[in-house]
Every structure is written in structure tokens, then in C-alpha cells.
Amino acid sequence: MVAEKRRAREHRGLDRLARAARSSQAFLRIVAERGDNVGSAIARLLQLLDAVGAAELEEALVEVLERDTIHIGAVRQVIDRRRSERHLPPPVSIPVTRGQHAALVVTPHSLATYDALKKDPTP
């Protein structure tokens, strides 16, 4: 029973990653093919997801896959480099481990609609 619960938790994290960052599936497939610890990779990717959000994680995963540097450290390095280039501070995560919002993934939308509101000549 303990083993079944552990496997169920792993799939819940895997599903959350797949919804948030599509490239995580390819990344984790390669990790598994190399015989590396998939559970650890999932846990660390979930930490990064919580810290930087889905869009940044997806961009970093795409770059890592393109460069064929399939390591969690490489994902973290890409995220840190991109944030530094934009003069952003290091990411800080606020863990939500329990409750109804624990598995919530928020996908940001384009802010262009707000730009259009600023251009509207009506008072």
C-alpha cells in the first residue's frame, strides 16, 4: 500500500508538470532512458515550477533540450541566466503543499489587451 501511494504521488507531480510545461515530458523521458532518478528530477522540476512559473520553466526546458544538456542543473542555470539578463532578482518560492490550491497551475496571458485599453481615446 505504501508503494502504491508513493507511485500515485509521483504521477500527480508528473501530471502537474505535463500541464505546466509540455517539454518536461521529453526531458523526463531522456532522464529515464539514461537510468537517472526520475522521481528526483520530477521533485526538482516541481520546485522550479513553484519558484519561477510555468512559462519560464518551459523556456528553460526547451533550451536545455535543444542544447542536449539534459540535467536539472542545466535547467536551473538557464533560468538564472535569463533572469539575470532581465535584471530580475533570484526566484523565491512560496510553497503551497496542502489544500485545494496545491496543484493549481496558473498560465499567464498576454498583457497586450491592457495596452489596447491605454490607447482608447474615450475618457
Side-chain angles (χ1 to χ4, degrees), residues 16-100:
R16 183 170 170 233
L17 273 174
R19 284 191 318 266
R22 291 186 179 268
S23 298
S24 65
Q25 293 173 320
F27 181 90
L28 291 170
R29 184 175 16 86
I30 294 169
V31 167
E33 288 170 355
R34 289 194 315 207
D36 293 342
N37 187 333
V38 176
S40 174
I42 290 170
R44 293 184 67 194
L45 285 175
L46 286 170
Q47 289 173 344
L48 288 172
L49 175 61
D50 291 339
V52 300
E56 276 193 67
L57 179 60
E58 174 64 16
E59 290 173 5
L61 286 169
V62 167
E63 184 173 329
V64 164
L65 287 167
E66 287 174 352
R67 292 182 179 198
D68 195 30
T69 54
I70 313 300
H71 309 273
I72 294 294
V75 176
R76 181 64 198 210
Q77 184 178 24
V78 169
I79 289 169
D80 288 345
R81 179 182 44 89
R82 287 175 177 242
R83 290 182 69 84
S84 177
E85 288 170 353
R86 291 180 289 169
H87 305 289
L88 294 174
V92 176
S93 67
I94 301 171
V96 178
T97 57
R98 296 194 179 166
Q100 65 185 14

